Amino acid sequence: MTILRQIHPLVYLAPPLSFPHNTGDMIERDNQHIPPTNLLTTPTASETEREEEISLRPKTLGDFVGQPVIKEHLSIFLEAAKKREEPIEHVLLYGNPGLGKTTLAHIIANECGAQIKITSGPALERVGDLAAILSNLQKGDVLFIDEIHRLNKTIEEVLYPAMEDYALDLIVGKGPTARTLRLNLERFTVIGATTRLSLLSSPLRDRFGVTHHLDFYADEDIAHIIRRNASKLQVEIAKDACELLASRARKTPRIANRLLRRVRDFAQVRAQGTITTSVAQEAFDILHVDPLGLDDVDRRLLHAIIEKFHGGPVGLNTLAASTQEEIDTIEEVYEPFLLQLGLLERTPRGRLATRRAYEHLGLTPPATLL
């Protein structure tokens, strides 16, 4: 039997929806879109992998490696809020998958001594879902919304006054007798995370007081993360092997952790549990991860552009059809890293393979490429 909670003489709210597979304060839907995660170097994570990452996740800003500018800004921002004894402003974090947006959200909540409630844009389907979550927040609580760019527009309209005025506007009744009811909320903080900042509407984006872009990590920072997490996983790793893993982690901590776990498995089965340079190299040969961190799909994309379309330009739809990959997967998962390495060029006419792409694949570049 569902028990309704009365929050006004005319308004009752059902408790937040729960699902058998959910634990803690995560709120999600079974039918939300989950990007493909079957490839070793894909920066998106499956639900199982997210649970494994929790044990490796740093708890404080001091433990967080990389993103020095963001760390400095957040430390000042958090310290100022503590001195004023008030909740922090709303925070928006954007960047490629696997760079630490969720980790930073947990760190911010931990540094503030606040409870964090976790949900995602696709999970909030109805206004009642958001109203139930907001009405249960206490003063200073953090509401983390992952994939915030996928929020329903109707949900956004309810979120605006909640973020700006800490009030919930509800419509009571229907037709001519309908009226608006405003319910006051406790002061809370929204932390939004997105990989597609351009898809956020301007009104929603403007309501965040702090916006930070997470960039790819330096190899030195990735190596530091690997050494620390190897210690947590109780696996011995040589310094040279650590640097080798870092060079193939696509400048992304999530991929570095994934490679570390796979190479650890290989070392435990074939090398008495110690990760040496030779063990790591042999593991990468079996996993088909090359010195730049490219996997089979990356190389297939580059080969398709060079061999089927003479180096480009080629449109994204045509490239997706020729490689049997989804358009969104190419654009959001593979392209950013290929562009970062200078192996791919994006032009108004389509995608072009660069001279460096030819050289990496052992092919002779055409004379037209400088």
Side-chain angles (χ1 to χ4, degrees), residues 27-91:
I27 305 156
E28 60 181 350
R29 297 284 187 214
D30 287 325
N31 61 352
Q32 64 179 300
H33 171 70
I34 298 176
T37 56
N38 57 320
L39 297 173
L40 187 66
T41 55
T42 302
T44 49
S46 65
E47 199 59 44
T48 302
E49 190 170 27
R50 288 183 187 275
E51 293 175 2
E52 293 175 350
E53 286 178 350
I54 292 175
S55 62
L56 304 178
R57 191 173 283 161
K59 303 295 189 296
T60 65
L61 271 179
D63 292 336
F64 189 87
V65 177
Q67 313 291 344
V69 175
I70 295 178
K71 283 172 61 177
E72 183 180 5
H73 289 176
L74 285 178
S75 63
I76 295 171
F77 164 59
L78 291 169
E79 187 63 30
K82 288 177 184 177
K83 288 184 177 180
R84 292 193 300 268
E85 296 183 352
E86 63 183 26
I88 60 173
E89 287 187 74
H90 305 302
V91 180

Side-chain angles (χ1 to χ4, degrees), residues 181-292:
L181 180 68
R182 169 160 283 208
L183 302 175
N184 293 324
L185 301 171
E186 296 287 355
R187 289 179 64 86
F188 66 96
T189 297
V190 172
I191 300 180
T194 177
T195 57
R196 306 284 296 277
L197 182 66
S198 61
L199 296 185
L200 260 69
S201 64
S202 256
L204 179 60
R205 199 164 55 239
D206 292 344
R207 282 168 170 78
F208 288 95
V210 179
T211 301
H212 284 302
H213 173 237
L214 276 71
D215 205 349
F216 286 110
Y217 287 61
D219 284 351
E220 296 78 14
D221 292 332
I222 294 292
H224 186 166
I225 292 170
I226 291 173
R227 281 195 299 271
R228 184 189 63 195
N229 291 342
S231 177
K232 291 182 179 180
L233 293 172
Q234 298 181 341
V235 57
E236 186 177 346
I237 182 169
K239 182 180 178 181
D240 291 345
C242 186
E243 293 173 355
L244 181 61
L245 261 71
S247 69
R248 305 199 183 195
R250 301 170 74 103
K251 304 181 184 297
T252 304
R254 177 176 293 155
I255 295 175
N257 291 333
R258 189 182 299 158
L259 290 176
L260 175 61
R261 289 194 294 267
R262 297 294 73 78
V263 175
R264 174 199 61 180
D265 296 342
F266 187 89
Q268 288 177 343
V269 172
R270 297 193 179 181
Q272 292 77 47
T274 300
I275 301 177
T276 62
T277 304
S278 59
V279 169
Q281 183 62 60
E282 191 176 350
F284 287 138
D285 290 342
I286 292 174
L287 296 171
H288 296 171
V289 178
D290 71 20
L292 290 182

Side-chain angles (χ1 to χ4, degrees), residues 22 37 112 140 159 179 242 246 251 273 279 344 346-347 359 361 370:
N22 289 346
T37 56
C112 295
L159 196 56
R179 62 191 181 91
C242 186
K251 304 181 184 297
V279 169
L344 194 66
R346 185 186 291 171
T347 71
E359 292 171 349
L361 297 176
L370 299 177

Side-chain angles (χ1 to χ4, degrees), residues 12 75 141 145-146 200 208 259 292 356 368:
Y12 291 82
S75 63
D141 280 359
I145 306 177
D146 200 7
L200 260 69
F208 288 95
L259 290 176
L292 290 182
R356 190 179 181 192
T368 53

Side-chain angles (χ1 to χ4, degrees), residues 127-148:
V127 172
D129 298 337
L130 180 62
I133 295 170
L134 294 178
S135 63
N136 280 293
L137 293 176
Q138 303 300 315
K139 183 178 179 180
D141 280 359
V142 171
L143 174 61
F144 175 59
I145 306 177
D146 200 7
E147 297 184 89
I148 195 169

Side-chain angles (χ1 to χ4, degrees), residues 153-165:
K153 295 302 177 186
T154 306
I155 302 294
E156 273 193 30
E157 296 291 338
V158 176
L159 196 56
Y160 295 157
M163 293 176 66
E164 196 164 21
D165 304 324

